């Protein structure tokens, strides 16, 4: 019942730039329709190696992110073997305990769990995300005067203290999700890429 | 005709957390911003006059995107400044001496008042108090990560010291009594406050 995972986390949502949820504040419109991708760069769940796979979490967050009751869909990378898929589903639905279970405690309803094609081509807040037929997003980071990306460090939810989260803007955020009951086609809203390290023994 | 100034600056405004202006975006809410900004000089000279320890503040209405200018501003110099320091700071902050402060001053459309008042700038890493005479009274606390370290924003577009952090905070109190200057009164809790570092140099 142990895992060690590290990788990149991307959130794209309908908030304005610099999504307040990252500081524990309420979403800008009062609710949030988000798409998150967890790209595992290195990771083992029990004895199953899950490096290179991505899990997508599609959410309707009805209020403050910490108040829970999120309605979500879980999309597992269709490159996963059946064993890898089971390991990731168990992990993200909280069966393995630890920090990932704290995340899934915020979910009030898992509306569906599906396999899907996931394209996670994002680095330092720049790139492209696709999750099944549901989500497509393009993003680029803000830059400082010397061309370095604008970052947040030590936000309340960071799982890797001291590491940057890249503050970006999604030039495209399309999210057509009949199962969660919304259909978005937005320009110039929030995207933030951080990283994660989840460990539990 | 030169200056070399470094210190910290503070912005408290009507935006939600985090003020979009810091990444060059439009203010949230109604698209305008009513803010209080202050620059506290930790070390500096203007045309040979030492201004270390002095604070300059503005109370402002920003009608749209911060970079589009047309700010309406009341300008305050702390009353501990000697006459010579006061003049040096006004020359620098109103843009007469050129350089990066003139770039900032070029965003100002109208200066409605210039006054000397007591200013309390008691801030460190996004925590503390800024008071400008009887015109503004603000208190704030920074956000913190899980280990207690203050949340920062780095390499934002307005950075004047690459790599130096801006501390991301929330103002538990933002009271502004400025209607006598034609700048609206404010009484807010839980809105944006950011403290950053500055270095302005010009020869």
């Amino acid at each position: 019942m142990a895992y060690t995972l590290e990788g990149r986390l991307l959130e794209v949502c309908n908030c304005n730039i610099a999504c307040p949820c990252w500081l524990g504040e309420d979403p800008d419109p009062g609710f949030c329709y988000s798409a998150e991708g967890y790209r595992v760069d290195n990771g083992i769940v029990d004895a199953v190696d899950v490096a290179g796979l991505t899990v997508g979490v599609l959410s309707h967050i009805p209020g403050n992110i910490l108040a829970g009751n999120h309605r979500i869909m879980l999309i597992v990378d269709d490159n996963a073997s059946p064993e890898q898929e089971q390991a990731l589903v168990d992990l993200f639905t909280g069966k393995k305990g630890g920090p990932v279970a704290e995340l899934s405690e915020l979910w009030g309803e898992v509306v569906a769990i599906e396999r899907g094609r996931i394209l996670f081509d994002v680095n330092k807040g720049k790139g492209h995300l696709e999750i099944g037929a549901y989500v497509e997003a393009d993003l680029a980071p803000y830059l400082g005067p010397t061309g370095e990306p604008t970052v947040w460090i030590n936000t309340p939810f960071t799982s890797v203290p001291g590491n940057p989260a890249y503050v970006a803007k999604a030039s495209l955020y399309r999210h057509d999700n009949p199962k969660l009951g919304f259909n978005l086609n937005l320009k110039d809203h929030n995207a933030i890429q951080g990283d994660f390290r989840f460990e539990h023994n | 005709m030169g200056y070399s100034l470094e210190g910290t600056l503070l912005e408290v405004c009507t935006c939600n957390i985090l003020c979009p202006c810091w990444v060059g975006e439009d203010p949230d809410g109604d698209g305008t911003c009513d803010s209080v900004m202050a620059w506290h000089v930790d070390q500096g000279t203007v045309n040979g006059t030492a201004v270390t320890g002095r604070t300059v503040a503005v109370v402002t209405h920003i009608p749209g995107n911060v970079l589009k200018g047309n700010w309406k501003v009341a300008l305050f110099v702390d009353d501990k400044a000697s006459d010579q320091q006061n003049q040096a700071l006004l020359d620098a902050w109103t843009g007469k001496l050129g350089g990066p402060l003139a770039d900032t001053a070029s965003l100002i459309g109208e200066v409605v008042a210039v006054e000397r008042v007591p200013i309390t700038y008691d801030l460190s890493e996004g925590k503390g108090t800024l008071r400008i005479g009887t015109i503004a009274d603000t208190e704030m606390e920074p956000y913190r990560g899980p280990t207690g370290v203050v949340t920062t924003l780095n390499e934002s577009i307005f950075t004047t010291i690459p790599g130096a952090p801006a501390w991301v905070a929330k103002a538990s109190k933002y009271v502004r009594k400025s209607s006598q200057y034609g700048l609206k009164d404010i009484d807010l809790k839980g809105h944006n406050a950011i403290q950053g570092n500055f270095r302005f140099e010009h020869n």
Side-chain angles (χ1 to χ4, degrees), chain A residues 16-20 23-25 28 142-146 148-159 161 167 169 188, chain B residues 16-18 20 22-25 28 143-147 149-160 162 168 170 190:
Chain A
N16 296 326
I17 298 309
C19 168
L23 299 171
E25 298 290 341
D28 287 317
Y142 288 87
L143 301 176
T146 60
E148 289 292 310
T150 302
V151 298
W152 258 339
I153 301 176
N154 291 312
T155 59
F157 299 117
T158 188
S159 60
V167 179
K169 175 155 77 170
D188 295 344
Chain B
N16 294 322
I17 315 290
L18 176 111
W22 279 64
V23 291
E25 297 289 344
D28 53 34
Y143 290 86
R144 293 176 188 276
T147 60
V149 177
V150 172
T151 302
T152 63
L153 182 72
N154 295 47
E155 305 296 348
S156 70
I157 189 173
F158 296 113
T159 297
T160 54
V168 179
K170 175 155 77 169

Side-chain angles (χ1 to χ4, degrees), chain A residues 16 28 42-43 47 62 69 80 114 116 131 153-154 160 166 168 190:
Chain A
N16 296 326
D28 287 317
N42 285 292
N69 287 317
E114 298 179 2
I131 302 175
I153 301 176
N154 291 312
V160 194
Y166 299 91
N190 171 70

Side-chain angles (χ1 to χ4, degrees), chain A residues 14-189:
Chain A
N14 61 333
C15 283
N16 296 326
I17 298 309
C19 168
C21 301
W22 280 65
L23 299 171
E25 298 290 341
D26 293 349
D28 287 317
F31 60 91
C32 187
Y33 295 142
S34 75
E36 286 150 49
Y38 294 84
R39 165 73 176 207
V40 181
D41 289 319
N42 285 292
I44 291 179
V45 179
D46 293 330
V48 180
D49 189 335
V50 292
L53 297 174
T54 305
V55 174
V57 178
L58 314 181
S59 308
H60 171 210
I61 300 170
N64 189 289
I65 189 168
L66 294 172
N69 287 317
H70 308 183
R71 293 178 70 241
I72 71 108
M73 285 181 67
L74 201 58
I75 312 292
V76 178
D77 196 325
D78 65 2
N79 289 316
S81 69
E83 190 184 33
Q84 287 173 320
E85 180 182 348
Q86 191 62 51
L88 289 168
V89 169
D90 287 350
L91 175 70
F92 275 84
T93 54
K95 288 186 186 151
K96 304 288 181 186
V100 182
E102 289 173 20
L103 181 71
S104 55
E105 274 169 19
L106 298 172
W107 301 346
E109 184 186 358
V110 178
V111 175
I113 298 175
E114 298 179 2
R115 281 172 74 93
R117 178 175 170 274
I118 301 182
L119 194 60
F120 187 102
D121 179 15
V122 181
N123 197 18
K124 295 189 172 182
K126 183 175 175 60
H128 183 73
L129 173 74
E130 287 178 37
I131 302 175
Y134 299 105
V135 173
E136 183 181 7
D138 289 307
L139 49 135
Y142 288 87
L143 301 176
T146 60
E148 289 292 310
T150 302
V151 298
W152 258 339
I153 301 176
N154 291 312
T155 59
F157 299 117
T158 188
S159 60
V160 194
N163 277 24
Y166 299 91
V167 179
K169 175 155 77 170
S171 56
L172 168 71
Y173 172 37
R174 188 182 62 71
H175 190 162
D176 183 1
N177 199 321
K179 290 177 185 173
L180 293 178
F182 58 84
N183 185 356
L184 304 177
N185 195 340
L186 297 176
K187 267 184 196 177
D188 295 344
H189 282 252

